[in-house]
Amino acid sequence: MNIIRMACALALGLVTAAGLTMPASANVDFHDQTVEWVIPFSETGGSAKWANFFAPLLSEALPGQPTVVVKFMPGAGSTKGANWFQKQKHEDGTLLFGTSGSTQFPYLLGDPRVRYEYNDWIPVMASGTGGVAYLNSDDGARFDGSANALKDTNFIYGSQGATRLDLVPLLAWKMLGMNVEPVFGIKGRGDGRLMFERGEANIDYQTTSGYLKGSAELVEAGKAVPMMTWGALDAGGDIVRDPTFPDIPTFKEVCEATEGCEASGEAWDAWKAFFVAGFPVQKLAFLPSGTPQEVVDAYTAAFGAVVSRDDFAEISSKRIGKYDVFIGAGAKSALGTATSVPDSAKAYVVNWLEEAYGVTLE
Amino acid sequence: MDIFSVALPAFGEAWSLILQPAVLVYLVLGVVMGLAVGVFPGLGGIAGLSLLLPFMFGMDPLLGLALMIGMVAVVPTSDTFASVLMGIPGSSASQATVLDGFPMAKGGEAARALSAAFASSLFGGLVGASFLTLFILIARPVVLAFGLPEMLMITLLGLSMVAILAGRIPLKGLAAAGLGMMVGTIGEADAGGSLRMASYDIPYLVDGLKLVIVGLGIFAIPEIVSLLRQDRSIARGASLGSGWLDGVRDWFANIWLSMRCSIIGVTIGVIPGLGGSVVDWIAYGHTVQSSREKARFGKGEVRGIIGPESSNNAKEGGGLVPTLLFGIPGSGSMAIFIGAVALLGSGDIEVGPGMLKDNLDITYSIVWLLALANVVGTVLCIAASGGIARITTIRFTYLAPFLFMLISFAAFQSGQSFEDILALFAIGLIGIFLRRFDWSRPAFLIGFVLSNPVEKFTNQAFQIASFRFRESIEAGMDYVFSPIVIVLVIITAVSVVLGIRQARTIMAEGEVQAGAKRAPMVFLLIISAYLLAALINADSISDRNMTDKIIPLVIGGFSLLCCLALFILMIRRPEGDAIFADKEVAGEDADAPCGLWSTLAWFGGLIVATGLVGFILAIVVFLTAFFRFRAGAGWAGTLALSAAGIGLICIMADVLNRDFPPGLLQGVVSLPWPLG
């Protein structure tokens, strides 16, 4: 068998020489190495787009200009990939992991599939987005900055699922006292917009890029009326108007203007926690636990260099939107806001999900 | 939009953009890469496009589009090789091609089947592009007219093709389709998230089974195992009868069929949310219904290839409409395409509603680049088909280990877990027995593919309809019975009636001898036991999540009734009746020199070894042992073939940047790629 082994090893060696990973080096230089950026979603989602945008820029900015490849590990709504990443140890700094709101939400809700702990990981970059809710023109005419005149209307909404990002709009509408019935099981917000355009749904929300790409046109044509944005976070952690949509009021403003809705208390804390985890800090890039500081610093510097490119504002606005990218310490505090939810707020959401939609997380 | 002042100049502009040498070079490059990726089953356009993504950033938009479109366009063309030559459905676009393509290859007519398929693909692509050039201007309102009730009806039309493909005993076909639908419901429900026949302790099942695995398991594994047992070449007598010119002639003789199926393909492709899964079955059904001579379908009728192949390339064109006009991907590869377009140039091209207004010239360029890529790809494929068809004259025992290697690798790519390969083996077993006892495998696959759309559209349409009915009866009726729905109901009804009448003549599994009662009855009881378990499982879901349980309850109950009726028939009918069809009684399988279990044990051994020492080490041992001991090759040949196989898979994985399944060993020690 030795001969066979040798022959096979030879065959293997010939074709794989390029693919072998190098041993870890003390000083951070990724020359001739390949950085794998693992995304726990399929090739087709928004996180893929996000990582594919950053990968070539990161490759230029890291010391030694390694090749940065994006790898996909979809499954179980991203909990599979995150559980996998939890088990990874630092080897040579060539492993990067990206999460999204869909990874944060199960963690916050205590989903039984979650075997990962965000606080073990080292965040190096975080970026976010915003969201806009809008109504059809009939109901939009009755919208006066508050939801007072909308409480008797029956709304129907195409939803991807109550435990996903859709939790944020559904809870917001509920707090406003609106009667919104979600039609579950659509794939992606694009399908939701289509349902709205066909008139099957009469309320919808899109993330910033989806809104600019498709819904803004409906608003222009008079077929839709923007209702509110979820807002953006300022440095002090307060919700302010979304810089992309300075003319559209935030949910906070609408809530304060609406009878029976309060921008404080249990429900508000819960909404805000999930909003933060789902929007302003939607996507995060992590290094595995145990990564030495010098490697962390190298990535922080590289992402810093990417963001401070002269053309960054221009190239990023079209592809990921005009939102802050948090680096290093900023990413760390962003993660803190996104993953620390008071237990009472968590309990409130879990309870509401069960009462309203029969969703139990067992 | 004014056709003469806006569309025509844009159309001319598009052609001047396309006909630049650099653009054409990139297009051909994309086509060649697409063909190289597409011939491997289960990888297809998604793998190819992600391969191109790193290069898209800031690339000249037109060159980038040419490269990507070249690649996407030829995947449904090139996966015809796998489906015709080896009976492996490469993607959802070539499921129906297997039905007649593979029997033709077995009859030594592989080259003819291939060239007929490619000629049809080419024609379909061109018809699709011409249709789109005009249609895209008025497509928006048409697409918006297709709401949930309409989509549900199209899905049901697809499902009605089960009637044609049910086989000699319609009850068996219905039960097979029901079983396929029930297998399709495994996992987390889309609507409420309840688990069906799954548990959080087995995370793999929560996501449900993937089409790649079910397609490979149901079609490829039974055929591979059967051929391997017979120890012969795919083409009986190892000779190639007719050549590639005959295939082109066949296509030309059926040009109107090809035209009709192209139109079917492009129109269904236009509707977002349905994807390609129904198109080729509807085209196949139409082909059968419109043919005078039906007896040869399923045994190698060239029309059975022309129909689906014309439709699936035309569908790619149709799929551009939701992608470009609404920014909603019609398929997985289109989703990546949308993402990649944003990376091109300075990011100015925004796929979405603005596409027609701001970038009509680019839109037309995309449509016609797609058509042109079809032409280039087809010409290359036809040129290659004569040579590649020779693979069917090789003794199959020398091919099979490579196929086991390829399909295991392909299966692993769908979920990147070891369970993917286990699932492939399990579904393969079901496929083997469905084939043995003459239960329609196409019916099973149609059921599986359409399970999710049927459930989703039924629930959603029901919910919105009841919402409308609460408004007023009239609003509800208007919603449910739109003119499109009524037309589709009529077409479906006609198709079912015709289908039932014609089903007896179409034997998807060929002639099967009947034998003793015991084996078919045991199989029936096992199926019934599973259905019963699934039914009880669905019933245990809380009534609050009615959306998650209603479809499994209805379909499971119906399938169980079919099984019960079959059971009663089996008790009453004498031995030797067609209901007791069993391939192990007489015919190819029964006379095969090698047994089923010993043959399957080789594949099982590969899986066990992979679980222990990882894929590459396992495949080294597997290939060596197989060639030496099963195929009886000399040591020199054994080593050369094994090294070639391993070299091939390593190059492929390296280029596509894929991993191999790890085993227990890899969990203990860290090994360098590709071993680790």
Side-chain angles (χ1 to χ4, degrees):
Chain A
M1 286 296 270
N2 268 336
I3 303 168
I4 311 166
R5 278 288 159 83
M6 266 176 68
C8 297
L10 199 67
L12 289 174
L14 283 175
V15 292
T16 59
L20 295 176
T21 42
M22 298 288 168
S25 53
N27 57 334
V28 183
D29 181 12
F30 295 115
H31 188 64
D32 275 349
Q33 286 185 258
T34 300
V35 172
E36 286 192 354
W37 190 344
V38 179
I39 298 292
F41 300 94
S42 74
E43 290 94 330
T44 57
S47 294
K49 213 165 148 180
W50 172 75
N52 278 317
F53 165 73
F54 275 108
L57 302 174
L58 184 63
S59 159
E60 274 175 39
L62 277 171
Q65 282 84 45
T67 315
V68 179
V69 296
V70 180
K71 277 205 160 176
F72 303 94
M73 191 184 280
S78 84
T79 56
K80 177 188 160 196
N83 289 339
W84 168 85
F85 183 68
Q86 182 69 29
K87 283 187 255 160
Q88 303 306 306
K89 294 272 166 323
H90 166 76
E91 275 175 27
D92 50 6
T94 58
L95 174 65
L96 196 59
F97 185 70
T99 68
S100 172
S102 315
T103 329
Q104 268 110 266
F105 277 28
Y107 174 83
L108 293 178
L109 290 169
D111 189 305
R113 285 172 289 178
V114 170
R115 312 246 191 290
Y116 50 90
E117 174 51 58
Y118 267 97
N119 294 319
D120 291 350
W121 307 342
I122 302 163
V124 287
M125 186 267 280
S127 74
T129 178
V132 187
Y134 52 96
L135 302 159
N136 70 9
S137 46
D138 292 350
D139 301 314
R142 284 184 282 128
F143 177 70
D144 56 0
S146 80
N148 291 335
L150 297 172
K151 291 185 182 175
D152 299 326
T153 316
N154 288 319
F155 288 99
I156 207 152
Y157 167 67
S159 170
Q160 284 163 274
T163 58
R164 314 279 169 92
L165 233 42
D166 283 353
L167 187 155
V168 172
L170 286 172
L171 186 54
W173 290 324
K174 187 234 164 201
M175 287 166 68
L176 291 173
M178 290 164 67
N179 179 18
V180 179
E181 188 180 328
V183 172
F184 288 124
I186 62 163
K187 298 255 148 61
R189 293 275 6 117
D191 286 338
R193 192 184 74 224
L194 206 57
M195 213 183 242
F196 179 86
E197 280 193 58
R198 291 195 303 251
E200 291 177 324
N202 49 3
I203 192 165
D204 190 34
Y205 112 87
Q206 297 286 326
T207 59
T208 299
S209 65
Y211 183 83
L212 292 174
K213 235 171 25 185
S215 313
E217 185 143 334
L218 297 175
V219 172
E220 250 171 64
K223 290 178 192 152
V225 177
M227 182 185 178
M228 57 193 177
T229 69
W230 309 136
L233 277 190
D234 70 3
D238 287 319
I239 291 179
V240 294
R241 285 216 172 176
D242 188 320
T244 318
F245 308 102
D247 301 329
I248 307 179
T250 63
F251 166 57
K252 192 179 179 190
E253 295 169 55
V254 176
C255 177
E256 281 165 347
T258 302
E259 281 166 42
C261 183
E262 274 179 59
S264 63
E266 214 172 42
W268 173 259
D269 287 345
W271 181 84
K272 189 177 167 187
F274 281 89
F275 155 69
V276 173
F279 291 88
V281 193
Q282 189 183 61
K283 298 195 196 302
L284 290 136
F286 290 98
L287 291 166
S289 64
T291 305
Q293 194 56 40
E294 52 189 12
V295 177
V296 178
D297 290 343
Y299 274 92
T300 305
F303 274 115
V306 169
V307 175
S308 53
R309 281 168 67 122
D310 293 338
D311 58 351
F312 184 75
E314 191 199 332
I315 56 177
S316 67
S317 72
K318 295 251 175 60
R319 288 149 180 144
I320 57 170
K322 275 189 262 185
Y323 291 90
D324 282 340
V325 176
F326 311 98
I327 313 276
K332 203 162 197 141
S333 73
L335 175 69
T337 358
T339 52
S340 54
V341 178
D343 285 340
S344 59
K346 202 182 282 187
Y348 176 86
V349 171
V350 169
N351 185 40
W352 163 66
L353 283 174
E354 186 176 359
E355 269 182 13
Y357 307 114
V359 176
T360 47
L361 295 153
E362 296 298 325
Chain B
M1 190 165 304
D2 196 331
I3 291 192
F4 291 101
S5 65
V6 183
L8 275 181
F11 188 58
E13 178 71 13
W15 273 106
S16 64
L17 287 174
I18 294 174
L19 294 175
Q20 297 175 57
V23 174
L24 295 177
V25 167
Y26 272 79
L27 184 74
V28 173
L29 196 66
V31 167
V32 173
M33 288 166 74
L35 291 179
V37 176
V39 291
F40 292 112
L43 286 175
I46 290 184
L49 274 179
S50 4
L51 185 65
L52 295 179
L53 272 179
F55 305 103
M56 286 299 138
F57 188 85
M59 192 172 182
D60 180 82
L62 208 60
L63 298 183
L65 284 175
L67 196 60
M68 286 194 289
I69 290 172
M71 177 162 248
V72 179
V74 294
V75 169
T77 313
S78 62
D79 64 12
T80 307
F81 281 118
S83 42
V84 169
L85 297 178
M86 290 151 201
I88 300 174
S91 68
S92 61
S94 53
Q95 306 158 48
T97 311
V98 175
L99 294 190
D100 282 295
F102 192 52
M104 279 183 78
K106 286 204 264 188
E109 294 188 308
R112 179 176 161 209
L114 283 174
S115 61
F118 294 138
S120 311
S121 289
L122 169 62
F123 187 69
L126 291 178
V127 170
S130 318
F131 181 77
L132 273 187
T133 303
L134 290 176
F135 181 71
I136 207 161
L137 299 172
I138 54 150
R140 234 186 127 77
V142 177
V143 170
L144 288 179
F146 278 86
L148 294 166
E150 288 81 5
M151 292 202 226
L152 177 60
M153 276 317 302
I154 295 193
T155 314
L156 292 182
L157 174 62
L159 203 58
S160 75
M161 297 308 156
V162 167
I164 278 189
L165 295 163
R168 276 186 299 183
I169 314 283
L171 269 177
K172 270 189 188 174
L174 285 180
L179 181 67
M181 288 185 83
M182 290 304 279
V183 170
T185 62
I186 291 176
E188 199 178 31
D190 266 357
S194 320
L195 295 183
R196 278 98 51 108
M197 295 304 276
S199 137
Y200 283 128
D201 298 328
I202 315 171
Y204 184 78
L205 285 179
V206 174
D207 280 341
L209 294 165
K210 303 283 187 303
L211 172 61
V212 177
I213 290 181
V214 175
L216 288 173
I218 289 293
F219 278 124
I221 291 196
E223 298 301 338
I224 294 175
V225 168
S226 162
L227 281 170
L228 192 54
R229 287 173 60 193
Q230 296 167 45
D231 195 14
R232 60 163 174 114
S233 60
I234 296 174
R236 198 176 312 274
S239 68
L240 282 177
S242 37
W244 65 271
L245 255 179
D246 296 295
V248 179
R249 243 178 259 135
D250 287 328
W251 161 76
F252 191 72
N254 292 295
I255 190 163
W256 290 112
L257 172 72
S258 183
M259 174 73 95
R260 291 195 305 271
C261 288
S262 306
I263 300 286
I264 292 177
V266 71
T267 20
I268 295 179
V270 160
I271 302 160
L274 285 174
S277 39
V278 286
V279 168
D280 48 345
W281 294 119
I282 293 180
Y284 190 80
H286 170 76
T287 307
V288 175
Q289 281 162 4
S290 64
S291 295
R292 226 165 265 145
E293 190 51 56
K294 297 182 171 57
R296 287 195 48 77
F297 281 101
K299 293 177 217 145
E301 163 68 53
V302 74
R303 290 168 65 92
I305 297 173
I306 293 171
E309 283 295 316
S310 306
S311 73
N312 66 27
N313 274 50
K315 177 211 81 197
E316 292 296 305
L320 284 176
V321 169
T323 308
L324 297 179
L325 264 56
F326 293 87
I328 293 161
S331 65
S333 45
M334 279 298 153
I336 306 178
F337 180 76
I338 292 181
V341 169
L343 294 176
L344 290 171
S346 48
D348 291 337
I349 307 181
E350 273 274 19
V351 171
M355 206 62 196
L356 280 192
K357 232 185 291 161
D358 309 332
N359 289 312
L360 188 58
D361 51 343
I362 299 278
T363 308
Y364 273 141
S365 306
I366 292 175
V367 169
W368 283 96
L369 277 171
L370 191 71
L372 212 56
N374 268 316
V375 175
V376 176
T378 310
V379 171
L380 289 176
C381 281
I382 290 187
S385 61
I388 294 184
R390 279 181 202 289
I391 211 167
T392 58
T393 61
I394 298 172
R395 186 180 151 209
F396 192 73
T397 310
Y398 281 102
L399 280 180
F402 294 123
L403 293 183
F404 279 132
M405 175 177 82
L406 279 176
I407 60 174
S408 307
F409 181 69
F412 177 71
Q413 297 315 316
S414 76
Q416 261 138 69
S417 68
F418 180 65
E419 287 96 324
D420 284 322
I421 306 181
L422 285 182
L424 176 69
F425 189 78
I427 301 281
L429 268 183
I430 299 177
I432 287 172
F433 286 109
L434 288 177
R435 179 177 179 275
R436 173 173 167 183
F437 297 118
D438 195 25
W439 289 53
S440 167
R441 287 181 290 159
F444 178 93
L445 195 63
I446 295 178
F448 176 80
V449 167
L450 297 182
S451 168
N452 178 278
V454 165
E455 175 164 29
K456 185 171 69 179
F457 293 139
T458 308
N459 281 328
Q460 295 181 346
F462 178 79
Q463 204 179 340
I464 293 182
S466 46
F467 188 80
R468 294 284 169 94
F469 275 112
R470 258 178 277 154
E471 256 170 48
S472 72
I473 298 283
E474 217 173 308
M477 293 305 272
D478 275 357
Y479 177 68
V480 178
F481 293 105
S482 73
I484 301 179
V485 169
I486 293 171
V487 170
L488 286 169
V489 167
I490 294 169
I491 298 179
T492 308
V494 170
S495 145
V496 169
V497 171
L498 285 180
I500 290 172
R501 248 199 268 156
Q502 295 161 355
R504 271 159 228 277
T505 51
I506 298 150
M507 281 173 256
E509 302 288 358
E511 305 269 2
V512 184
Q513 296 298 316
K517 282 192 175 189
R518 209 180 73 157
M521 271 182 121
V522 169
F523 182 64
L524 176 73
L525 288 176
I526 292 173
I527 300 272
S528 312
Y530 175 79
L531 287 172
L532 190 65
L535 208 58
I536 292 170
N537 178 274
D539 190 53
S540 70
I541 295 172
S542 145
D543 279 346
R544 295 223 38 193
N545 282 319
M546 191 46 89
T547 47
D548 295 352
K549 64 190 284 193
I550 185 77
I551 294 287
L553 281 181
V554 171
I555 301 291
F558 174 78
S559 319
L560 204 56
L561 279 182
C562 289
C563 286
L564 191 68
L566 275 170
F567 187 70
I568 295 171
L569 282 179
M570 282 191 176
I571 290 179
R572 296 181 55 180
R573 293 206 183 159
E575 288 201 351
D577 186 89
I579 204 169
F580 300 108
D582 184 347
K583 286 204 165 167
E584 299 292 329
V585 171
E588 287 175 344
D589 285 20
D591 306 336
C594 306
L596 168 68
W597 296 109
S598 64
T599 305
L600 208 55
W602 280 96
F603 186 41
L606 171 63
I607 292 172
V608 172
T610 303
L612 292 176
V613 298
F615 187 65
I616 284 293
L617 288 176
I619 206 83
V620 168
V621 178
F622 173 76
L623 289 180
T624 319
F626 194 98
F627 286 124
R628 183 72 186 92
F629 301 112
R630 175 82 191 232
W635 276 113
T638 298
L639 292 184
L641 284 170
S642 304
I646 291 156
L648 173 82
I649 198 98
C650 288
I651 291 174
M652 196 167 88
D654 188 40
V655 170
L656 294 174
N657 192 21
R658 300 282 160 157
D659 287 328
F660 293 113
L664 292 176
L665 177 69
Q666 279 75 5
V668 181
V669 278
S670 165
L671 295 169
W673 193 90
L675 301 178

